């Protein structure tokens, strides 16, 4: 590890800071190299401090990892903090050629097929909310879940190899948004809906909106022993067509409860081209009323109700109807301020924070007061019969933070941080007791650039956030970078939040060039223990076991049974075995490949031109491709990874004899 230069740089930069502070005598340290560089590059004292806080020397590993959604790029990005170096884009819903994701590998085709809608195989997704698996309310570094808002799907990623293992289509809903969020021990992965529609992708005229269109929330049961969601043990709950937005899982004192905000209690149905009297766009229709409803769901009770069979089958999936939810006291509402967004639970589970996009306050609900109000009873009900808790009974505080508040995160000092979309700021405010005695007030803001959506703090969704760093996930980058044509990158801004009080320091801008990230989570890097190579040669990442008939050294060959040809191939530096494969046009080809390497980073690729086949085989990995040899000709397969000095020689001939 390269250690020596670091103290020198610190010393040099400190001397610069010292010299800048002692303004009259600022010439004395100019001899140092760092001073000289700072002068030449016109770096301010703050710039130098920011550089020192983020600079990560070659060979030094970042303290934290951020897992960020990639938006409609359909992937998950992994970024080191504080260096803001991108480590990986994990392929999820969208084929990704570098990882050979979705270009012939059978296991990938099965995953994509499981996420299909009817016979429509989807090749993109809109990832929004990544959720790291938790144990006891803390990230445990084992699994990551992510939703596809566009098509209402959830995916499971195994953090042993950072690969997607499962894609599930929600049987109830066309789209989702309030997912994924996990319960404190990851028994349940939450997926809330968004734009109401008839359940099960059915049709109903939009004039029947109030009777036929529905919201939903789905509780996916996670089975940690197999590292997969078990759809058979999962269930949904029918909700009014109020456009459920973002959800969060209760933790600590509120463990077993789920909270979602909503934003179309008005039940607007959009501008009607056939009705001259209906001139209201959704943008005004859904915020016409003063309030929407925070949804409060007793998950533990819902699990018991589902287990007792009080469900109906919708698209073959168990659903708790609204009537059953009401009869069993599973669901409550309470008013939220105008056009709410975001719901975030404080580390102790005791406070629930909601923002109103058109209200300059954050509204903080008390879980204890919610419980008291439920016990007290005597509710009003909403138009679907759902009990409505009185706002004044359950609200703990409202703090004015600025314009366009969206999402909130927490630290270890009793502060909360709320993104302000319209102000392009992040606001720091203090939680009240037991976090801070002098709480419920704005502490300070930091400018960001520009239009922040989500924000994330280190370990920010756990019962014990670390604070220290915050990343602002900004939608617009405007003047921050060279503008590469009219499609601009997003901008992630790293902020130092370690100093108490009003000040937060912006440290670094990172352009995101391949997606529109929504949410992210930041985990301590030492909580992860990913594999360097697969545990055994012949490992199938689909089943996460060794495949007994995977090609091994000595078992390679080509065999034929009628028009079925099977190829068993191994890959190692710097050759394929076999190097020549001959088939007849129209043959059905099954091609099994194993990378028999056991050395770290010795990945080989496998590409066949003209057949849209492209694999990435990590050390030990086996894969199978199956296809019809429909094009005759000579196809030169080769290794796409520059794996060795003789990488160019890692090639072979696939000869398809014409009929
Ligand atoms: S929400 S637009 Cu997470 Cu702000 Cu999706
Ligand atoms: Cu193997 Cu290049």
């Amino acid at each position: 590890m390269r250690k020596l230069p670091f103290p020198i740089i610190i010393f040099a930069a400190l001397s610069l800071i010292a010299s800048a502070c002692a303004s009259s005598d600022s010439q004395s340290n100019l001899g140092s190299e760092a001073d000289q560089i700072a002068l030449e590059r016109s770096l301010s004292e703050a710039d130098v401090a920011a550089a020192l806080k983020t600079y990560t020397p070659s060979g030094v590993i970042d303290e934290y990892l951020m897992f960020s959604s990639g938006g409609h790029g359909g992937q998950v990005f992994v970024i080191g903090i504080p260096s803001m170096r991108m480590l990986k884009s994990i392929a999820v819903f969208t084929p990704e050629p570098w990882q050979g994701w979705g270009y012939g590998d059978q296991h990938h085709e099965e995953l994509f097929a499981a996420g299909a809608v009817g016979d429509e195989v989807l090749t993109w997704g809109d990832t929004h909310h990544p959720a790291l698996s938790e144990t006891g309310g803390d990230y445990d570094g084992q699994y990551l879940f992510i939703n596809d808002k566009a098509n209402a799907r959830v995916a499971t990623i195994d953090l042993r190899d950072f690969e997607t293992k499962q894609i599930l289509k929600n049987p109830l809903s066309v789209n989702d948004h309030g997912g994924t969020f996990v319960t404190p021990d990851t028994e349940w992965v939450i997926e809330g809906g968004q734009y109401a529609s008839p359940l099960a992708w059915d049709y109903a005229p939009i004039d029947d909106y109030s009777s036929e269109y529905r919201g939903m929330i789905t509780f996916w049961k996670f089975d940690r022993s197999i590292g997969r969601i078990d759809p058979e043990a999962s269930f949904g709950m029918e909700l009014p067509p109020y456009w459920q937005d973002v959800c969060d899982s209760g933790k600590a004192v509120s463990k077993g409860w789920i909270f979602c905000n909503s934003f179309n209690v008005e039940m607007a149905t959009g501008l009607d081209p056939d009705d001259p009297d209906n001139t209201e766009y959704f943008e005004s229709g859904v915020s016409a009323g003063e309030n929407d409803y925070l949804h409060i769901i007793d998950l533990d009770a819902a699990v018991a109700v589902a287990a007792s069979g009080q469900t109906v089958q919708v698209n073959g999936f168990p659903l708790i109807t609204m009537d059953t939810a009401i009869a069993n006291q599973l669901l409550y509402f309470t008013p939220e301020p105008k056009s709410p967004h975001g719901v975030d639970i404080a580390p102790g589970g005791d406070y629930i924070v909601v923002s109103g996009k058109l209200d300059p306050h954050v509204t903080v609900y008390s879980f204890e007061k919610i419980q008291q109000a439920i016990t007290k009873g005597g509710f009003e009900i909403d138009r679907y019969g759902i009990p409505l808790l009185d706002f004044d009974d359950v609200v703990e505080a409202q703090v004015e933070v600025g314009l366009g508040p969206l999402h909130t995160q927490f630290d270890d000092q009793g502060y909360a941080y709320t993104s302000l979309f319209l102000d392009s700021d992040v606001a720091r405010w203090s939680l009240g007791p037991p976090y801070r005695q002098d709480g419920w007030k704005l502490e300070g803001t930091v400018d960001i650039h520009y239009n922040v959506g989500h924000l994330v703090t280190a370990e920010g969704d756990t019962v014990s956030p670390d604070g220290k760093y915050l990343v602002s996930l900004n939608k617009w980058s405007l003047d921050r970078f060279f503008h590469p044509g009219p499609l601009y990158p997003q901008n992630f801004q790293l902020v130092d939040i370690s100093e108490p009080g009003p000040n937060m320091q912006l440290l670094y801008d990172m352009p995101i060039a391949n997606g529109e990230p929504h949410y992210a989570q930041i985990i301590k890097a030492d909580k992860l223990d990913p594999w360097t190579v697969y545990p055994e040669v012949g490992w199938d990442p689909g089943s996460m076991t060794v495949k007994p008939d995977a090609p091994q050294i000595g078992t390679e060959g080509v065999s034929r049974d009628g028009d079925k040809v099977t190829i068993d191939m191994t890959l190692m530096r710097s050759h394929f075995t076999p190097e020549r494969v001959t088939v007849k046009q129209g043959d059905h080809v099954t091609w099994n490949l194993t990378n028999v390497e056991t050395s770290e980073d010795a990945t080989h690729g496998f590409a066949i031109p003209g057949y849209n086949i492209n694999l990435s085989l990590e050390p030990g990995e086996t894969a199978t491709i199956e296809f019809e040899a429909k094009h005759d000709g000579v196809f030169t397969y080769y290794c796409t990874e520059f794996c060795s000095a003789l990488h160019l020689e890692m090639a072979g001939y696939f000869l398809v004899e014409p009929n």
Side-chain angles (χ1 to χ4, degrees), residues 128-129 177 246 341 407 454 518:
H128 271 236
H129 304 103
H177 189 218
V246 190
H341 192 55
H407 297 283
H454 276 274
H518 288 267

Side-chain angles (χ1 to χ4, degrees), residues 502-546:
N503 295 325
M504 295 166 274
Q505 189 193 1
L506 178 63
L507 298 179
Y508 196 81
D509 285 30
M510 177 197 188
I512 301 292
N514 45 354
E516 200 226 293
H518 288 267
Y519 190 41
Q521 287 188 331
I522 299 174
I523 181 174
K524 200 87 194 303
D526 62 14
K527 286 185 171 180
L528 289 124
D529 190 18
W531 292 332
T532 51
V533 301
Y534 280 109
E536 286 177 67
V537 169
W539 193 267
D540 169 22
S543 60
M544 289 297 254
T545 52
V546 71

Side-chain angles (χ1 to χ4, degrees), residues 196-197 199 209-216 238-241 322 384:
S197 57
L199 293 183
Y209 188 86
S210 68
S211 62
E212 300 301 317
Y213 287 51
R214 286 293 176 263
M216 69 89 192
E238 180 190 23
L239 297 173
M322 272 197 289
Y384 288 97

